[in-house]
Structure formats: C-alpha cells, structure tokens
Amino acid sequence: MRVPLVVKRALDEPLLLLAAFGSILLATTTLVALTMYASAIAGAGVRRAMETASYRQTTTTISAQVDATTFPRYDRMVRDELAATYGAPPAVTTSLRSDSYVMPGQDGKELPELLRFGSHDGLDRHARPVEGRWPRTGGQAVEAAISESAAAATGFELGGEFVTKARLDGRPVRVRVVGVFRLDDPVGERWAGEELLSRGMERGEYTTYGPLMVAQETFVARFATSVRAVWAAEPDLGALTPERLRPLAEAAGRVGERLSAAGCATCLTAGDLPELLTQLDTASLVARSTMLIPVLQLLVLAGYALMLTARLLADHRRMEMALLRSRGAGTARLAALAGGEALLVAVPCAVVAPFLGPPVLALISLLPWIRSSGVRLAPVTDVGTFLVSFGVALAAAVLLALPAVAGARRTYVEEQSARGRGGRRGLVQGAGADLALLAVAVLAIWQLQRYGAPVTATAAGGLGIDPLIISGPALALLAGGLLGLRLVPRVSRMAERLTSRRPTLAPALGAWQVSRRPLKYAGPALLLTLAIAIGVVSMATTSTWQASQRDQADHQAAADLRLSGPSEGPELGVLGRGTAFTALPGVTAASPAFRAPTEVGGESALLLALDASRFGELFRLRPDLSARTVAQLSVALAGDRAGRLELPGRPRALTVRADSPAAVPARLVLSDALGVWRDLPLGELREGGNRIGLDLAPLAGRAGTIAYPLSVRGLVAGEQPGLRSTDLRLTGLSADGRDVPVAGAVAHPRGVIAFGPSREHRPLPVVVTSGLAAALELDVGQGGSVRFAGRALRIEVVGIVTSMPTSAPDQQAVLADWETLQAHELAAAQPSRPATEWWLATADSAPAREILRRNPQWDVTTVDRRELAAELRDDPLAAALQGGLTLGFAAALGFAVLGFLVNAVVAARERRAEFAVLRALGAGSRQVFGMLATEQAFVIGLSLASGTGLAVVVGNLVVPRVVLTGQASAVTPGVLFHLPWAAVAAMLALVTAVLVAIVAGLARRMWRGQTMEER
C-alpha cells in the first residue's frame, strides 16, 4: 500500500509534528472549554440571581380601584396580561382592603377606633390558624379570621360575634370570628406594604385594627365599594436564560401600558423586576466580555507558540524545500504539501477537543470558589462547540503552514547563503511594530480605565462589547514582551563580556553562543515571558478579586453583625432590645448606633453615630480610606460627654418632682447601662410644684429586660416665651419609692436641667467623607458652623475618609461619637437620637443569627459580614473570570513548558556535531551541562524576570478595572491591586524546577549521543 507523500513527510519529523499537535490540541481544548465555561457560568449566574432575589425584586404588583362590578373584569384582564408577558401564568395573589368600619360600641365618638376587612387569596400558604379555621362564604354573619396581634389589641375572641357599621354610610355588618391565625414571617418582604396585617394595628390620626380576613367572594359581595385591589404576580424564573433577560424586561416594563390600552384606566404597575432583569442582562454581558480577556491572552500565546514551532519546522526543512523547488516543484505544490501536513495535525485536534472540554470543566468545578457557590457546570457538546473547535484548528493550521509557504520561493543557493550567524534584530523590532503595538495597547488600557468595563454604549443606544478594550491586556502583554526582546542582544553581550574574563569554559561558551545568535533564543524567551506574565496576572486577578470581596463585605456590614429595625416594639421595648441583642451567643462587644439620612451644610448625607470607644472591635475601615487609623479616629471623636445621675438598684418606677414657673411640656432624659438614651414625656407641667410618676416596665417590652443601672441625663422643658432656664427646677427623684439626691442638677440654657457644670460645648468632632469635606470647604483640624439636620451646629473635622462604611457608592456621610452627639442634642434641647441599629462583634455569627431567625417578632433586619462575604464569593457572575483565568493560566504554563522543551531539543539536536567536537577537545560532561545550563539560564532568568515585571505593570493598570460586582457595577470601596507574592514565588520556583529538569535531561541525552557519534 502506497503511503501518501504528506504522511511520509510528517512521519520524518515526529518530534516537531508531535509538538505542533500538542500545541493545537491544547489551544483548541482550552478555548472550547472557555467557550463552554462562559456560556455555562452565565446561565448559572442568572439562575442563582433568580433563586436568591428577594420577593420585592421578582414580584410585579398591579393595583386598581374596583367595585363588585369591575373586579371580575379587571381580575381576568390582569391575569391574562401577566400570562402573556411571562409566557405562562405566574402565581398571582389578590389582596383587597375595605373602607373603615367603626369599632363596636364607639358609634358616637368623635375619633372612634376603626376596623378594616380584607381578603388575600393564598393567605393559607403563608399563615396558619392557631385557633379555629379559615372563613367560608354564606350565612347571615360574615365569617372572619383575625391575626394574633389584632386579636390581642381588639379583644376579639374565637366564636365571638359583633356588629360594626361602615363609617361612611353607616351600613351595619354582623361578624363572627371563626379563626385566629399567625403569619409565618410577619417581617418578610411579602408584607412590606401590609403593616396592618403584620402588626394588627396602625396608629395615626385614627387607630385602626385588623384586617378581619374574609373569603374573596364574601368581600366582593359585601365590601367592594370602590376599594383598592392589588394583584401580586410571582413568575417562575428558575429556567430563565441570559438570552431572555432583555426581552422579558421590556415586556414586563410595558404591562401597565397594555392594561391601560385594554381598558383598565386605573391600573397602576409597580415592581423592580424589569430593573433586575436589565441589570442581570448587563451583568451577564459584562461577565461574558471579561471572559474574552483570558481568551485573547491565550490566543496570543497559542498563536505565538504555534508560530515558533512552525518556524522550527520550516528552518529544519529549509534545504529540503529548496531542493524540491530546484527539482521543479511549484509554489502551489509546496503550499499544498505544507497545508496538507498542517491539516493532518489540526483536524484530529478539532474532532477531539469538544469531547475534552467537559472533563476540563469538571476539574474547574473543583475550584473552591466555584464549588462553594453550589454551581454545577454541566456543559453540553453541541454544534457551536464544534464550530469553535474547527475554527481554532483551521487558524492553527494556517499558522503552521505559513513559514513553509513563505520560504517556498527561495532557491537552493539562496537558502545556503541565508544560513549563518543571523541578524541581531528581528523583523518586528526593525520595523518598529512593537512600538506601534505598544501605542495601541496604551490606547486600549486608557479606554478600559475611562469606561471601567469592556462593555460600552453603542450607537444604537444599547450596550456592546468594545473589541479594543477587551484586547487591551493581551496587546499590552504582547507589546511588553516584544519590547523585552530588545534587551536580549544587549544583555547577551554584557554576559559575554563578563564570562569571557573568567577562567571557566562552560559559562563563557554558553554566553558566547547566546550573544552570537540572540534571535535563536529570543523566540523561546518571548514565549516563556508571555506565559509567566499571563500566569502572574491570572493569580493577581484572582487574589485581587477575593480581597475585594472581603473588602466589600467589610464596607457594607462594617461590623460582624449589624441589626436594624424600629427602636422599640411590643415584644422588645426601647430599653429591651439592646439587652436581648447583647445576650446573643458569641457577642463580645456591642454598641447602639444611629444611622439615617440627614442634611449637612445643604448636602444630603448619611449620619452615623457609634460608640467611638468600641471602634477597634466594631468599626471596619480599610486603612487606605483614611489618613488616620481607626484608633486615632476613636480618640479624636470623643468630645464633651453629658453628666449623669445614676439610679440605685433596679427600679421599675420613677417619681419626678419639679417646680415650674408656668405651664410647659417637659420630658425626662434617661439612659441605660448599654448607652441607649430615651426621652420619657412628663406631660405638661403646671405652674408651681409637680409630681409625676413614670412606669419603666413598658420600656423593656413583653420579652425584654432593662440593662441596669439606669441614669438620668437631664430634664428638658419645651419652648415657652419668657421662660428662663433658671426658673425650672428639679426638686426630687424617687426610684421605687427611694429618694435619690439631685443636688448635682444644674440649670443650663434652653430650659435644660442637666448634671455637671454649665458651659459652652466645644464643636462636635466629626469624620466626613472627602466629597462632603470639599462641599463644606473644611479640612482636618478645621471647624465652623453648618446647617446640621435643619439647625445650626458647630462642628470640627477630625478625619476625612474616601468612603464611609455602610454608605452607598458615592454617598456622602458624617460620623460622630454616640455619646458626644447625644450630649450636643441634650444641650440644644433636641430629642435624643434613637438606636436605629445595633452593632455587634462576634467570633461566630451563626448561632446569633439562628436565634434572630427564630424570633421574627423582634422585627430585626440582619446584616452579617461573614454571610455577606460568602454571598459575594458565591456569585457565579462575579466569580466567572476567576475560573476562566485559572484555565488560561494552566494552558499558558502548558504552552511554555511544551515550547521550551521543543526549542531546547531541536536546538541541541542541530548542534550534535558541535558537542562532538567539544568532546573530542576534552570537554567533560559537566562542562557540556554547564554550557547548556548557561544558555538556557539566560532564557529562563530573563523570561521569569521580564514576565513578572510585565505582569506587575499590566496588572496594576488592568486588574482593578475588570473586578466588578455581580451586577456589573463599580466596586465600593475601590479595588486595590493585590499580588500574592508567596504564591507567585512558588509558581516561579516550580516552573524553574521543571525547566531545569528539562535542561538536565537534555544534557544527559546529548552526552550519550556524543559518545555514540564518536564511536
């Protein structure tokens, strides 16, 4: 059987063809795996985002005014429209609330207490009866169920009947209570607009109880008198793909328009789903675009590695090609021969690579940040995968055949004359192409820093991938590597001069060899430089990303646990919340905090007040965000504190005795052992002596306890014309009947009686964000009078931070000490600041969080720093680039080792005669090894140093710009470039060890080969 010429020709060079096969297979497999990974991670990211999205984010609500006639028509219209929008009927719950009804027995009152009736289909899925059953239709009396909290507030009992009248028309309704229910999660987002249902009562101008829940049919028949109906649609978005995000967002955003056009003129639509879907679409696009960064880097490296192998193959066959040319072979024939050989290598790689991609991704799934996220990559080999594989393989075949085709026109004599020492400068350097490439790379990185992401606005107004930006890192690495080649001749000449003066032969011969033919070593050096640079940049990106995730969690949470909610409630009162929170397991430090928007100097800002003495344990501020340390800020923020009168024992009641020159409202300012301040109204003091009794038990709530000892901070009288502060006197205090001396009470300005000398308070020390400092035109150490929460206040800036922990991106903020701020408010006769939050330090937050979860009646929203860090870490869209970089990093090292091995073996094989001569002249094995080691050490050392330096420069410019949130927005606080030097050093040592082992094995092989040749 006759073997085709192209096959026989390929078998004559098994080493080079095997190297080409390995390079193409590595390139096609890695790029196919990266393509699969990008698609799989984008889908997994969308699914994870939908699974973890809150009820408020995924629900669309539609409200309208309805009556018994219009409700059935509007209900059908809304459900049909929602089914058409989502492609399938979503889960829709309808809630209705009636007009006001008068509480039984209060018909003649001017301000009676009120009742409301309601209906909520599906309530049985989110609540359970604790007594009785759910209401049914029919009967003379309306059957109703009532929540536990409403039953406790109204006194309605199971089985009780009463008559209530509509407040507008006086129509009576007989009601029978058939059930008492409890919501599964009364503080959940589902009930965010249903405070009456979750709390049982609302206080305003009128006190309203309820709602008394009835069947929907009963409500429509008896209570639907132009009332408000709300439809809440919960679509099933678990199977949503990235491609459907934008169309679904547009369809969901137009629901209101279509309902109005269909005849529902009063229908109003609300919901965050269109915004969420648009944001996810952008995030998915950014994730896929950032995945192109390692792909392009890998393409550059793979292309260069293949061109290097192709050049070796062409050089090795240079004389053969010239001989064929002289024997009459035409250019087309030689090109076909080279192309056929390239396809012989590339086609098997294109067929095999799609089947190797899934196992490679299975290994990527073992990465800690991918495995911990719960994402299971299940890529499928499809037509698109084969198209990518064959496209990459075809491009590789072209690169492999190009050098042979380019040299097909030379004659045998021309090839003979071209052999020799070779030039000292390559074609790229000679033409200045490396400088031009550097200019393009600089432009691309400048664009990346300007736009902050590889996605920019298109001419059509949408978003698209900017090819210049995504190619910037790859171009920068290539340009840097090519510029580094300019050092090869200079460094080799320097090494030759140094080694020539030494008595040892091997280093001098090795340095002379490199200096004689620098371009021979420039190719492997550039390949290794690019591989090392890509590896170091990949490691730096992963490390920077992980550090940024921790920084984001620290900045958003600030403390290990941050608990927010109302300052008081029926279960935990204002002085009971702190006691319950500080008793949580694992809590080592705690502070009450005030955190709310305010106005400072005409600027909107976040006001944050926290116990400054606890900053070291509770306040996490990244060092680069402030010129002063947390400890220095803690000391500087502590200003004038208010005096106190500590009450003995554990009093449950207080008696206040005061003399007033006129009728004036007053309040007693109290604080507990945890630092919580509370104003207790004393009512209106009458002229002369007053004696007011105060019950302290309600301050703890039903389940709370007071943190003793309690302290009296002062007595504050309301504004009264002509009233002087010295006219009001605190004459006595009794705690549980025991008199407490009040000799230290001193009259202060503005009708304030406090404990301590009367003096002018120093300015309030504050820490402000840099933007607010610029708006106030104040620097550290400067102060002035500014409008603070609507009143004039003197402040002193003791610190400036770039971004305040817990603040939103670009939000201005001001930080003050809790006690100092309260003292200033007391001195100004202003109400004490409530504890809107509690900041806790804990070694392990899981047990505390579990107790909070089991007590929804505490009405607490928790921000857990560790849980937040885990959520950020486990976001597939945010972690997408890390997996891609890891895959690219592994492939880059594979290309480097393979290219170095092939180049070293081919170069050594071409110099067998030279080694034989050295052996005949008396050179020993150690000298031969030393010469090879010197030559390759030049390549290895220069490549490792250049690659690492290049990675540091490019990484500093690029990495902070490609680290984004899972929603593709800029990170707060700003990203800091982090290079894991220990891991980099270990990687460099491992690469060096592998390359040295290759050199050692090659030297031993060449030594044996020389001996055989001599024989």
Side-chain angles (χ1 to χ4, degrees), residues 37 41 44 48 291 363-377 538-547 549-550 869-889 980 983:
Y37 177 77
I41 207 71
R48 170 60 59 86
M291 282 295 299
L363 295 177
I364 293 296
S365 297
L366 299 178
L367 293 173
W369 51 88
I370 300 295
R371 187 174 64 250
S372 63
S373 67
V375 174
R376 296 295 175 262
L377 301 178
S538 299
M539 297 174 72
T541 303
T542 300
S543 180
T544 300
W545 206 305
Q546 293 170 351
Q549 288 168 338
R550 292 190 295 270
E871 290 175 1
L872 292 170
R873 178 199 64 202
D874 296 345
D875 187 344
L877 291 179
L881 185 58
Q882 299 181 67
L885 288 170
T886 303
L887 185 56
F889 170 49

Side-chain angles (χ1 to χ4, degrees), residues 44-55 57-58 189 276 280 373 871 874-876 967:
V46 171
R47 289 191 298 272
R48 170 60 59 86
M50 291 295 99
E51 291 170 0
T52 58
S54 65
Y55 173 83
Q57 289 178 307
T58 59
E189 285 190 340
L276 173 65
L280 269 179
S373 67
E871 290 175 1
D874 296 345
D875 187 344
Q967 291 73 41

Side-chain angles (χ1 to χ4, degrees), residues 635-932:
V635 174
L637 279 173
D640 293 333
R641 304 291 182 94
R644 68 178 70 195
L645 174 63
E646 188 172 301
L647 301 176
R650 306 170 69 85
R652 304 288 290 178
L654 283 180
T655 302
V656 181
R657 297 186 295 276
D659 284 345
S660 175
V664 60
R667 51 190 168 88
L668 186 72
V669 182
L670 201 68
S671 69
D672 67 0
L674 298 175
V676 179
W677 288 48
R678 171 65 170 177
D679 294 351
L680 302 180
L682 300 178
E684 186 170 290
L685 300 181
R686 64 178 182 273
E687 184 178 354
N690 294 267
R691 182 186 180 93
I692 304 99
L694 298 173
D695 184 8
L696 302 182
L699 299 179
R702 289 195 296 262
T705 57
I706 296 176
Y708 292 98
L710 295 176
S711 299
V712 176
R713 297 296 188 142
L715 179 67
V716 181
E719 293 290 338
Q720 185 75 14
L723 178 68
R724 296 178 301 174
S725 58
T726 55
D727 294 336
L728 181 67
R729 293 188 305 118
L730 178 64
T731 58
L733 270 177
S734 298
D736 284 344
R738 298 170 52 191
D739 285 342
V740 180
V742 293
V746 178
H748 290 244
R750 301 184 181 90
V752 176
I753 295 177
F755 298 90
S758 177
R759 65 178 186 274
E760 183 71 20
H761 272 259
R762 292 178 295 173
L764 175 67
V766 295
V767 175
V768 298
T769 51
S770 54
L772 185 58
L776 298 176
E777 299 181 352
L778 294 176
D779 205 345
V780 175
Q782 296 179 343
S785 180
V786 299
R787 296 293 297 177
F788 191 94
R791 62 187 177 90
L793 180 69
R794 292 188 305 124
I795 65 170
E796 179 187 359
V797 177
V798 298
I800 296 177
V801 296
T802 305
S803 180
M804 187 71 70
T806 75
S807 66
D810 300 324
Q811 183 183 25
Q812 305 308 322
V814 57
L815 171 68
D817 172 51
W818 170 264
E819 283 284 334
T820 305
L821 178 62
Q822 297 284 29
H824 276 74
E825 301 290 34
L826 176 62
Q830 296 293 316
S832 302
R833 299 279 179 173
T836 61
E837 293 189 345
W838 279 87
W839 293 33
L840 309 176
T842 173
D844 182 9
S845 57
R849 201 171 61 248
E850 177 60 24
I851 291 178
L852 293 171
R853 188 190 65 80
R854 294 202 305 262
N855 291 276
Q857 70 276 11
W858 289 2
D859 203 359
V860 175
T861 301
T862 304
V863 178
D864 185 343
R865 182 178 61 85
R866 296 177 180 87
E867 188 178 51
L868 187 58
E871 290 175 1
L872 292 170
R873 178 199 64 202
D874 296 345
D875 187 344
L877 291 179
L881 185 58
Q882 299 181 67
L885 288 170
T886 303
L887 185 56
F889 170 49
L893 293 184
F895 279 119
V897 172
L898 183 61
F900 182 85
L901 174 63
V902 172
N903 276 273
V905 169
V906 171
R909 191 173 63 179
E910 290 177 347
R911 295 166 58 196
R912 282 182 300 184
E914 176 184 333
F915 289 136
V917 171
L918 289 174
R919 173 68 176 171
L921 293 175
S925 60
R926 290 186 177 181
Q927 290 175 314
V928 172
F929 176 74
M931 184 179 69
L932 281 175

Side-chain angles (χ1 to χ4, degrees), residues 240-422:
L240 194 61
T241 61
E243 294 74 22
R244 288 188 56 208
L245 290 172
R246 181 72 62 173
L248 185 57
E250 294 175 353
R254 293 197 300 268
V255 168
E257 299 176 14
R258 292 194 293 269
L259 285 173
S260 296
C264 185
T266 63
C267 284
L268 298 176
T269 306
D272 297 334
L273 184 59
E275 181 182 353
L276 173 65
L277 296 175
T278 303
Q279 192 178 60
L280 269 179
D281 180 67
T282 302
S284 179
L285 179 62
V286 170
R288 291 195 295 265
S289 68
T290 52
M291 282 295 299
L292 290 175
I293 293 177
V295 167
L296 291 178
Q297 291 176 358
L298 191 62
L299 280 175
V300 169
L301 184 63
Y304 186 76
L306 199 58
M307 288 178 64
L308 200 59
T309 303
R311 192 195 69 183
L312 289 174
L313 185 62
D315 287 346
H316 197 69
R317 288 178 170 167
R318 180 183 298 175
M319 299 307 299
E320 177 187 330
M321 293 288 288
L323 187 61
L324 288 173
R325 180 73 176 171
S326 65
R327 296 294 178 91
T331 302
R333 174 63 176 167
L334 294 176
L337 192 63
E341 189 177 35
L343 289 175
L344 184 65
V345 177
V347 170
C349 297
V351 175
V352 173
F355 300 100
L356 296 179
V360 170
L361 288 186
L363 295 177
I364 293 296
S365 297
L366 299 178
L367 293 173
W369 51 88
I370 300 295
R371 187 174 64 250
S372 63
S373 67
V375 174
R376 296 295 175 262
L377 301 178
V380 178
T381 302
D382 54 12
V383 176
T385 306
F386 279 98
L387 289 177
V388 171
S389 180
F390 275 91
V392 173
L394 181 61
V398 172
L399 290 177
L400 188 62
L402 272 179
V405 174
R409 294 181 176 276
R410 293 181 180 176
T411 64
Y412 185 82
V413 176
E414 289 172 340
E415 289 291 355
Q416 284 280 31
S417 62
R419 302 182 66 178
R421 293 173 57 134

